[in-house]
Amino acid sequence: LPGHHIDQQAAKAQIGIAASQKVVLFFGYIRKYKGLKLLLEAFQQVSTTMQDVFLIIAGEPKEDLAAYKAFIAEHDLAERVLMDTRYVPLEKMSVYFAAADVVVLPYRRVYQSGLVRLAYAHRRAVIATRVGDLPMVVEHDRSGYLVAPDSVDALRQAMQQALADTKRLQKMGEYGFAQTSKNFSWRAIAEQHQVIYRHVLKRHPEQSR
């Protein structure tokens, strides 16, 4: 991945974030079901007790952003939130992931998401809701945190717990990277397909003729 080797402090400096800031990243298309409103509400609550937190929202909007911008203005979050609402090229994407301490997927519903594996590819832990396939790719307390969907309080608690120990988050990100490399490499995928084929042929030997 282009730029995945960027040092976190260098990435923060490139974006204009103070080195001491703990960074939360929301990445991808902005749609209502992705729960950005929930994240903003939880982040606002976290920011009242943690002064060194920063939120990056990066991705193309597929809905009106007026309500989000109004919330940010109403709660004086402008200096703590960066909104990059455009198509994000690979180079810039990697800078955002490098700057982040944790990637948050506050989805209200989803079937599957490749964003978790993208976070792991950048060695970043995640906070995700228990919807779709997310519980199958996020190991709670090992590669990230799983929370109930549609719960600002659960998301707030997970963010506070995660950001209170960024060294642990780094270990989680490394674990996620290792698991992804192990389970989702092309070799691993080929081996998984071979197991499936053998199972099918054992149950239906006539298909091998």
Side-chain angles (χ1 to χ4, degrees), residues 49 69 79 117 127 148 159 195:
T49 58
K69 292 179 178 179
E79 294 185 359
R117 296 185 183 98
I127 297 173
M159 289 171 64
V195 171

Side-chain angles (χ1 to χ4, degrees), residues 1 4 25 97 100-105 113-128 133-146 169-184:
L1 291 172
H4 75 280
L25 174 64
F97 275 91
D101 288 289
V102 66
V103 180
V104 180
L105 290 74
S113 174
L115 188 59
V116 173
R117 296 185 183 98
L118 184 59
Y120 292 162
H122 286 87
R123 294 177 164 84
R124 292 298 178 258
V126 302
I127 297 173
D133 76 338
L134 297 181
M136 292 185 285
V137 292
V138 178
E139 292 187 50
H140 183 69
D141 253 358
R142 298 198 72 182
S143 62
Y145 299 91
L146 287 167
L169 280 179
Q170 291 173 2
K171 292 180 180 178
M172 287 181 167
E174 292 293 341
Y175 177 82
F177 176 79
Q179 291 301 107
T180 298
S181 300
K182 175 182 176 182
N183 298 324
F184 297 101

Side-chain angles (χ1 to χ4, degrees), residues 1-8 94 98 122-123:
L1 291 172
H4 75 280
H5 58 283
I6 296 175
D7 174 80
Q8 186 178 40
S94 290
H122 286 87
R123 294 177 164 84

